[in-house]
Protein backbone atom coordinates (compact mmCIF):
# COMPACT_ATOMS: atom_id res chain seq x y z
CA UNK A 1 0.00 0.00 0.00
CA UNK A 2 1.03 3.58 -0.70
CA UNK A 3 -0.53 6.65 0.88
CA UNK A 4 -1.07 10.12 -0.57
CA UNK A 5 -2.06 13.46 0.92
CA UNK A 6 -4.03 15.71 -1.40
CA UNK A 7 -6.24 18.77 -1.45
CA UNK A 8 -9.97 18.32 -1.97
CA UNK A 9 -11.71 20.49 -4.60
CA UNK A 10 -12.88 22.87 -1.85
CA UNK A 11 -9.36 23.29 -0.41
CA UNK A 12 -9.66 20.77 2.41
CA UNK A 13 -7.31 17.85 2.93
CA UNK A 14 -7.70 14.14 2.39
CA UNK A 15 -5.66 10.94 2.69
CA UNK A 16 -5.79 8.43 -0.14
CA UNK A 17 -4.49 4.87 -0.55
CA UNK A 18 -3.09 3.30 -3.70
CA UNK A 19 -2.98 -0.49 -3.81
CA UNK A 20 -3.13 -2.80 -6.84
CA UNK A 21 -4.27 -0.31 -9.48
CA UNK A 22 -1.61 2.40 -9.51
CA UNK A 23 -4.03 5.02 -10.85
CA UNK A 24 -7.02 4.46 -8.56
CA UNK A 25 -6.69 6.07 -5.14
CA UNK A 26 -9.33 5.39 -2.48
CA UNK A 27 -10.02 7.87 0.28
CA UNK A 28 -9.20 7.01 3.88
CA UNK A 29 -12.28 8.04 5.85
CA UNK A 30 -12.23 9.99 9.10
CA UNK A 31 -8.83 11.65 8.77
CA UNK A 32 -7.46 14.60 6.85
CA UNK A 33 -3.74 13.96 7.26
CA UNK A 34 -1.37 11.01 7.49
CA UNK A 35 -0.08 12.48 10.76
CA UNK A 36 -3.59 12.12 12.19
CA UNK A 37 -3.91 8.59 10.82
CA UNK A 38 -0.57 7.61 12.36
CA UNK A 39 -1.60 8.95 15.76
CA UNK A 40 -4.82 6.96 15.60
CA UNK A 41 -2.87 3.82 14.66
CA UNK A 42 -0.61 4.28 17.68
CA UNK A 43 -3.56 4.81 20.01
CA UNK A 44 -5.27 1.66 18.69
CA UNK A 45 -2.13 -0.49 18.65
CA UNK A 46 -2.34 -1.01 14.89
CA UNK A 47 0.19 -0.82 12.09
CA UNK A 48 -0.25 2.16 9.80
CA UNK A 49 -1.21 -0.17 6.96
CA UNK A 50 -3.85 -1.91 9.08
CA UNK A 51 -5.30 1.40 10.29
CA UNK A 52 -5.53 2.58 6.67
CA UNK A 53 -7.21 -0.64 5.52
CA UNK A 54 -9.83 -0.35 8.25
CA UNK A 55 -10.72 3.16 7.11
CA UNK A 56 -10.84 2.60 3.34
CA UNK A 57 -13.89 4.26 1.85
CA UNK A 58 -15.57 3.96 -1.52
CA UNK A 59 -14.71 7.41 -2.87
CA UNK A 60 -12.02 7.20 -5.55
CA UNK A 61 -9.72 9.71 -7.22
CA UNK A 62 -7.43 9.32 -10.23
CA UNK A 63 -3.92 9.68 -8.83
CA UNK A 64 -2.43 10.98 -12.07
CA UNK A 65 -5.21 13.53 -12.38
CA UNK A 66 -4.50 14.79 -8.86
CA UNK A 67 -0.88 15.34 -9.87
CA UNK A 68 -1.85 17.18 -13.06
CA UNK A 69 -4.21 19.43 -11.10
CA UNK A 70 -1.48 20.33 -8.60
CA UNK A 71 -3.48 18.94 -5.67
CA UNK A 72 -0.86 16.56 -4.27
CA UNK A 73 0.94 17.38 -1.02
CA UNK A 74 4.02 15.94 0.63
CA UNK A 75 2.96 12.64 2.23
CA UNK A 76 3.96 13.75 5.74
CA UNK A 77 3.90 17.06 7.56
CA UNK A 78 3.17 18.43 11.03
CA UNK A 79 0.49 20.92 12.10
CA UNK A 80 3.38 23.08 13.36
CA UNK A 81 6.21 23.09 10.78
CA UNK A 82 8.75 23.79 13.55
CA UNK A 83 8.12 20.25 14.83
CA UNK A 84 9.32 18.61 11.64
CA UNK A 85 13.07 18.02 11.25
CA UNK A 86 14.54 17.60 7.77
CA UNK A 87 18.01 16.02 7.71
CA UNK A 88 20.10 13.56 5.77
CA UNK A 89 23.22 11.50 5.31
CA UNK A 90 25.78 11.43 2.52
CA UNK A 91 28.41 9.06 1.12
CA UNK A 92 26.12 6.13 1.86
CA UNK A 93 25.78 4.56 -1.59
CA UNK A 94 28.21 2.44 -3.56
CA UNK A 95 29.90 4.83 -5.95
CA UNK A 96 28.65 7.92 -4.13
CA UNK A 97 32.15 9.09 -3.29
CA UNK A 98 33.10 9.57 -6.93
CA UNK A 99 31.10 12.73 -7.58
CA UNK A 100 32.02 14.23 -4.23
CA UNK A 101 35.67 13.36 -4.75
CA UNK A 102 35.68 15.09 -8.13
CA UNK A 103 34.63 18.29 -6.37
CA UNK A 104 37.23 18.01 -3.63
CA UNK A 105 40.19 16.33 -5.35
CA UNK A 106 41.81 19.57 -6.51
CA UNK A 107 42.05 20.73 -2.91
CA UNK A 108 44.11 17.72 -1.81
CA UNK A 109 47.35 16.07 -2.79
CA UNK A 110 46.95 13.75 -5.76
CA UNK A 111 48.39 10.80 -3.84
CA UNK A 112 46.29 11.25 -0.70
CA UNK A 113 42.70 10.40 0.16
CA UNK A 114 40.25 13.27 0.47
CA UNK A 115 38.08 13.40 3.57
CA UNK A 116 35.18 12.28 1.38
CA UNK A 117 37.04 9.15 0.31
CA UNK A 118 38.11 8.44 3.87
CA UNK A 119 34.52 8.62 5.12
CA UNK A 120 33.27 6.55 2.20
CA UNK A 121 35.86 3.87 2.98
CA UNK A 122 34.78 3.89 6.63
CA UNK A 123 31.24 3.15 5.49
CA UNK A 124 32.39 0.31 3.26
CA UNK A 125 34.28 -1.24 6.15
CA UNK A 126 31.81 -0.65 8.98
CA UNK A 127 28.46 0.59 7.68
CA UNK A 128 26.74 -2.82 7.72
CA UNK A 129 27.24 -4.23 11.22
CA UNK A 130 25.79 -7.46 12.51
CA UNK A 131 22.20 -7.30 13.70
CA UNK A 132 21.81 -5.50 16.99
CA UNK A 133 25.10 -3.66 16.75
CA UNK A 134 25.83 -0.07 15.76
CA UNK A 135 28.26 0.44 12.91
CA UNK A 136 30.39 3.39 11.88
CA UNK A 137 28.55 6.68 11.88
CA UNK A 138 27.81 8.35 8.53
CA UNK A 139 28.09 11.94 7.42
CA UNK A 140 25.04 13.83 8.75
CA UNK A 141 23.57 17.19 7.78
CA UNK A 142 20.67 19.44 8.70
CA UNK A 143 18.43 21.03 6.08
CA UNK A 144 15.70 22.79 8.02
CA UNK A 145 12.24 22.34 9.47
CA UNK A 146 8.98 21.55 7.73
CA UNK A 147 8.72 25.04 6.25
CA UNK A 148 11.39 24.21 3.63
CA UNK A 149 9.43 21.35 2.03
CA UNK A 150 8.15 22.03 -1.46
CA UNK A 151 5.12 19.95 -2.45
CA UNK A 152 5.31 17.47 -5.31
CA UNK A 153 4.86 19.48 -8.47
CA UNK A 154 5.89 22.68 -6.67
CA UNK A 155 8.88 24.95 -7.05
CA UNK A 156 12.31 24.35 -5.55
CA UNK A 157 13.34 27.94 -4.97
CA UNK A 158 17.06 28.59 -4.50
CA UNK A 159 18.14 31.76 -2.68
CA UNK A 160 19.21 34.72 -4.78
CA UNK A 161 22.76 34.33 -3.45
CA UNK A 162 22.98 30.62 -4.32
CA UNK A 163 25.65 29.57 -6.81
CA UNK A 164 23.80 26.43 -7.91
CA UNK A 165 20.54 24.57 -7.54
CA UNK A 166 21.21 20.90 -8.11
CA UNK A 167 19.01 17.83 -7.75
CA UNK A 168 19.79 14.83 -5.55
CA UNK A 169 17.50 11.83 -6.19
CA UNK A 170 17.13 9.92 -2.92
CA UNK A 171 14.96 7.71 -0.76
CA UNK A 172 13.54 9.46 2.31
CA UNK A 173 12.61 7.78 5.58
CA UNK A 174 9.52 9.27 7.27
CA UNK A 175 9.08 9.00 11.04
CA UNK A 176 6.84 9.93 13.95
CA UNK A 177 8.08 10.03 17.55
CA UNK A 178 5.51 8.26 19.73
CA UNK A 179 4.35 9.24 23.21
CA UNK A 180 7.14 7.19 24.81
CA UNK A 181 9.80 9.02 22.80
CA UNK A 182 10.46 6.10 20.42
CA UNK A 183 10.84 6.71 16.67
CA UNK A 184 8.26 4.92 14.55
CA UNK A 185 8.93 4.62 10.83
CA UNK A 186 5.80 5.37 8.85
CA UNK A 187 7.22 4.63 5.41
CA UNK A 188 9.46 5.75 2.58
CA UNK A 189 9.19 8.29 -0.22
CA UNK A 190 11.10 9.48 -3.25
CA UNK A 191 12.99 12.67 -2.51
CA UNK A 192 14.88 15.51 -4.15
CA UNK A 193 17.34 16.68 -1.51
CA UNK A 194 18.43 19.71 -3.62
CA UNK A 195 21.76 21.33 -2.74
CA UNK A 196 24.22 24.01 -3.84
CA UNK A 197 27.08 21.94 -5.22
CA UNK A 198 29.08 24.92 -6.50
CA UNK A 199 29.22 26.38 -2.99
CA UNK A 200 30.29 23.00 -1.64
CA UNK A 201 32.97 22.71 -4.31
CA UNK A 202 34.69 25.86 -3.00
CA UNK A 203 35.51 24.12 0.29
CA UNK A 204 34.05 20.96 1.76
CA UNK A 205 33.51 22.83 5.04
CA UNK A 206 30.81 24.76 3.17
CA UNK A 207 28.74 21.58 2.94
CA UNK A 208 26.57 22.74 5.87
CA UNK A 209 25.78 25.97 3.99
CA UNK A 210 25.12 24.11 0.75
CA UNK A 211 22.46 21.97 2.41
CA UNK A 212 20.39 24.89 3.75
CA UNK A 213 18.05 24.76 0.79
CA UNK A 214 14.49 23.60 0.21
CA UNK A 215 13.72 19.96 -0.53
CA UNK A 216 10.81 17.90 -1.79
CA UNK A 217 9.57 14.36 -1.28
CA UNK A 218 6.64 12.26 -2.31
CA UNK A 219 4.05 12.18 -3.59
CA UNK A 220 3.68 8.57 -2.41
CA UNK A 221 4.54 7.12 0.98
CA UNK A 222 5.41 3.43 0.60
CA UNK A 223 4.37 1.39 3.64
CA UNK A 224 6.28 -1.66 4.84
CA UNK A 225 9.90 -2.44 4.01
CA UNK A 226 11.95 -0.81 1.29
CA UNK A 227 13.06 -3.26 -1.40
CA UNK A 228 16.73 -4.22 -1.24
CA UNK A 229 17.26 -3.06 -4.83
CA UNK A 230 15.58 0.18 -5.88
CA UNK A 231 16.15 1.31 -9.46
CA UNK A 232 15.07 4.64 -10.82
CA UNK A 233 15.77 7.44 -13.26
CA UNK A 234 16.67 11.06 -12.60
CA UNK A 235 16.30 13.59 -15.42
CA UNK A 236 16.33 17.30 -16.06
CA UNK A 237 13.92 18.73 -18.63
CA UNK A 238 14.62 22.17 -20.13
CA UNK A 239 12.16 23.88 -22.47
CA UNK A 240 10.28 20.62 -22.90
CA UNK A 241 13.32 18.54 -23.92
CA UNK A 242 15.42 16.19 -21.81
CA UNK A 243 18.71 17.92 -21.02
CA UNK A 244 20.20 15.15 -18.88
CA UNK A 245 19.08 11.69 -17.78
CA UNK A 246 20.74 9.00 -15.73
CA UNK A 247 19.67 5.90 -13.80
CA UNK A 248 20.13 5.83 -10.04
CA UNK A 249 20.21 2.98 -7.57
CA UNK A 250 19.21 2.79 -3.92
CA UNK A 251 18.15 0.19 -1.39
CA UNK A 252 20.58 -1.64 0.87
CA UNK A 253 21.94 -3.81 -1.95
CA UNK A 254 23.39 -0.63 -3.44
CA UNK A 255 24.48 1.04 -0.20
CA UNK A 256 27.54 1.00 2.02
CA UNK A 257 25.35 1.39 5.13
CA UNK A 258 22.25 -0.41 6.30
CA UNK A 259 19.16 1.70 6.79
CA UNK A 260 19.10 0.55 10.41
CA UNK A 261 22.60 1.94 10.93
CA UNK A 262 21.65 5.30 9.43
CA UNK A 263 18.53 5.41 11.61
CA UNK A 264 20.46 4.42 14.73
CA UNK A 265 22.95 7.24 14.29
CA UNK A 266 20.22 9.80 13.67
CA UNK A 267 17.98 8.85 16.55
CA UNK A 268 20.78 8.32 19.09
CA UNK A 269 20.40 12.03 19.91
CA UNK A 270 17.88 12.74 22.66
CA UNK A 271 16.80 16.04 21.08
CA UNK A 272 15.44 14.09 18.12
CA UNK A 273 13.10 12.01 20.30
CA UNK A 274 10.52 14.61 21.30
CA UNK A 275 7.05 12.99 21.35
CA UNK A 276 4.82 14.15 18.53
CA UNK A 277 7.63 15.40 16.28
CA UNK A 278 8.07 14.08 12.75
CA UNK A 279 11.28 13.54 10.77
CA UNK A 280 12.12 13.36 7.08
CA UNK A 281 15.60 11.83 6.72
CA UNK A 282 17.29 11.60 3.33
CA UNK A 283 19.44 8.48 2.85
CA UNK A 284 21.84 9.76 0.17
CA UNK A 285 22.54 9.18 -3.51
CA UNK A 286 25.29 8.30 -5.97
CA UNK A 287 23.83 10.18 -8.97
CA UNK A 288 24.27 13.93 -9.52
CA UNK A 289 23.96 15.91 -12.73
CA UNK A 290 26.62 18.35 -11.51
CA UNK A 291 29.15 15.49 -11.59
CA UNK A 292 28.50 15.34 -15.35
CA UNK A 293 29.11 19.06 -15.77
CA UNK A 294 25.44 20.10 -15.92
CA UNK A 295 24.65 23.66 -14.80
CA UNK A 296 20.96 23.98 -13.98
CA UNK A 297 18.89 27.06 -14.84
CA UNK A 298 15.63 28.50 -13.48
CA UNK A 299 12.75 26.84 -15.27
CA UNK A 300 14.43 23.43 -15.40
CA UNK A 301 12.15 20.61 -14.28
CA UNK A 302 13.57 17.84 -12.08
CA UNK A 303 11.91 14.47 -12.66
CA UNK A 304 12.63 11.54 -10.34
CA UNK A 305 10.93 8.15 -10.63
CA UNK A 306 11.62 4.68 -9.30
CA UNK A 307 9.87 1.41 -8.67
CA UNK A 308 7.96 0.60 -6.55
CA UNK A 309 6.67 4.18 -6.13
CA UNK A 310 3.42 4.71 -8.02
CA UNK A 311 4.01 8.34 -9.04
CA UNK A 312 7.12 10.32 -9.97
CA UNK A 313 8.37 13.38 -8.09
CA UNK A 314 8.56 16.53 -10.21
CA UNK A 315 9.70 20.01 -9.21
CA UNK A 316 10.65 23.17 -11.08
CA UNK A 317 13.78 25.17 -10.27
CA UNK A 318 13.24 28.84 -9.44
CA UNK A 319 15.50 31.60 -8.12
CA UNK A 320 14.28 33.95 -5.40
CA UNK A 321 14.21 37.61 -6.36
CA UNK A 322 16.24 40.31 -4.66
CA UNK A 323 19.59 40.12 -2.92
CA UNK A 324 20.66 38.27 0.17
CA UNK A 325 18.47 38.82 3.21
CA UNK A 326 19.89 41.84 5.03
CA UNK A 327 18.89 41.75 8.64
CA UNK A 328 20.00 44.37 11.09
CA UNK A 329 20.67 42.86 14.50
CA UNK A 330 19.95 45.32 17.28
CA UNK A 331 20.60 44.96 20.99
CA UNK A 332 17.49 44.78 23.10
Amino acid sequence: MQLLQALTPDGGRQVLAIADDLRRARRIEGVGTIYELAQQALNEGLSLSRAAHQRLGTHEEDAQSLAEQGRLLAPLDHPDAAHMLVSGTGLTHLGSAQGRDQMHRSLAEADSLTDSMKMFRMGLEGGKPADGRMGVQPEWFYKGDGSIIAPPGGDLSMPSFALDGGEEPEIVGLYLIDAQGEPRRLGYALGNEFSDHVTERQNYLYLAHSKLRPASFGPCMLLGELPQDVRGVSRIVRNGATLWEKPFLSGEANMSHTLANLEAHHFKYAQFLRPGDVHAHFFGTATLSCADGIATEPGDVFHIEAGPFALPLRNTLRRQKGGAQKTRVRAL
Side-chain angles (χ1 to χ4, degrees):
M1 176 181 281
Q2 301 181 45
L3 299 182
L4 302 170
Q5 290 193 134
L7 295 174
T8 61
D10 61 2
R13 293 181 58 155
Q14 60 182 331
V15 178
L16 300 149
I18 298 177
D20 297 331
D21 186 332
L22 297 185
R23 289 189 65 95
R24 292 169 54 248
R26 292 172 61 186
R27 181 179 294 168
I28 306 296
E29 301 292 348
V31 295
T33 67
I34 292 176
Y35 182 83
E36 185 181 359
L37 177 64
Q39 292 285 14
Q40 291 185 9
L42 284 172
N43 292 336
E44 297 170 14
L46 300 174
S47 68
L48 186 58
S49 177
R50 183 62 178 167
H53 273 291
Q54 289 187 355
R55 292 162 172 78
L56 273 177
T58 57
H59 176 82
E60 291 187 351
E61 299 261 13
D62 183 281
Q64 186 61 45
S65 178
L66 289 173
E68 293 169 354
Q69 296 172 43
R71 290 167 54 191
L72 292 176
L73 304 170
L76 182 65
D77 53 8
H78 191 284
D80 180 355
H83 286 275
M84 180 176 191
L85 178 72
V86 185
S87 57
T89 59
L91 298 172
T92 55
H93 284 63
L94 303 177
S96 63
Q98 182 179 2
R100 183 77 64 82
D101 195 52
Q102 288 176 3
M103 291 193 289
H104 298 168
R105 172 58 65 179
S106 62
L107 303 177
E109 294 295 331
D111 59 352
S112 66
L113 288 177
T114 64
D115 286 341
S116 294
M117 291 301 293
K118 290 176 183 177
M119 179 159 284
F120 180 66
R121 187 171 64 180
M122 288 168 61
L124 288 174
E125 295 173 350
K128 292 187 173 182
D131 291 345
R133 300 180 61 185
M134 184 177 288
V136 66
Q137 63 184 2
E139 175 191 45
W140 184 96
F141 55 83
Y142 169 76
K143 286 195 68 69
D145 63 19
S147 65
I148 71 162
I149 297 300
D155 293 342
L156 284 170
S157 183
M158 62 180 178
S160 59
F161 56 82
L163 302 180
D164 172 53
E167 87 300 331
E168 295 203 15
E170 306 190 17
I171 302 298
V172 184
L174 302 173
Y175 307 87
L176 168 66
I177 310 303
D178 69 17
Q180 289 70 46
E182 295 184 4
R184 306 294 290 266
R185 187 191 317 109
L186 305 183
Y188 301 93
L190 285 175
N192 187 338
E193 193 256 295
F194 192 65
S195 299
D196 187 337
H197 303 105
V198 175
T199 291
E200 182 190 348
R201 187 181 295 128
Q202 293 178 331
N203 188 307
Y204 75 96
L205 294 177
Y206 281 157
L207 180 135
H209 281 282
S210 75
K211 295 299 186 182
L212 294 176
R213 301 291 186 269
S216 185
F217 62 86
C220 302
M221 178 192 289
L222 175 69
L223 306 187
E225 296 301 320
L226 186 72
Q228 288 284 309
D229 184 19
V230 176
R231 296 173 180 262
V233 174
S234 178
R235 69 173 61 94
I236 298 174
V237 176
R238 179 176 296 172
N239 299 324
T242 298
L243 172 71
W244 173 90
E245 180 177 295
K246 201 166 189 176
F248 73 92
L249 303 175
S250 193
E252 288 188 358
N254 304 299
M255 297 174 66
S256 54
H257 288 259
T258 63
L259 297 179
N261 193 52
L262 301 181
E263 292 172 337
H265 281 291
H266 177 65
F267 289 112
K268 68 184 180 184
Y269 295 101
Q271 64 263 40
F272 296 161
L273 300 176
R274 182 167 51 194
D277 281 7
V278 296
H279 292 248
H281 193 64
F282 287 79
F283 290 131
T285 187
T287 304
L288 305 171
S289 66
C290 70
D292 292 336
I294 299 297
T296 59
E297 298 177 358
D300 288 350
V301 179
F302 302 117
H303 180 114
I304 299 170
E305 61 182 71
F309 298 95
L311 296 174
L313 175 64
R314 296 188 182 95
N315 299 96
T316 302
L317 175 63
R318 304 295 183 193
R319 181 181 288 275
Q320 296 173 6
K321 297 181 179 180
Q325 183 76 22
K326 295 182 179 179
T327 301
R328 180 187 175 191
V329 178
R330 296 184 295 169
L332 180 61

